[in-house]
Coordinates of all heavy atoms in Angstrom, one line a residue:
P52 N 4.1 1.1 14.8 CA 4.8 1.5 16.0 C 3.8 2.1 17.0 O 2.7 2.4 16.7 CB 5.7 2.7 15.6 CG 5.0 3.3 14.5 CD 4.3 2.2 13.8
S63 N 13.7 13.3 20.5 CA 15.2 13.4 20.2 C 15.5 14.5 19.2 O 16.7 14.8 19.1 CB 15.7 12.0 19.7 OG 15.3 11.8 18.4
E103 N -13.4 19.0 21.9 CA -12.4 20.0 22.1 C -11.1 19.6 21.6 O -10.3 20.4 21.0 CB -12.3 20.3 23.6 CG -11.5 21.5 24.0 CD -11.5 21.8 25.5 OE1 -11.9 20.9 26.3 OE2 -11.0 22.8 25.9
E121 N -0.7 2.1 17.0 CA -1.1 1.9 18.4 C -2.5 1.4 18.5 O -3.4 2.0 17.8 CB -1.0 3.3 19.1 CG -1.4 3.3 20.5 CD -0.4 2.6 21.5 OE1 0.7 3.0 21.6 OE2 -0.8 1.6 22.1

Side-chain angles (χ1 to χ4, degrees):
S63 73
E103 188 180 13
E121 179 73 65

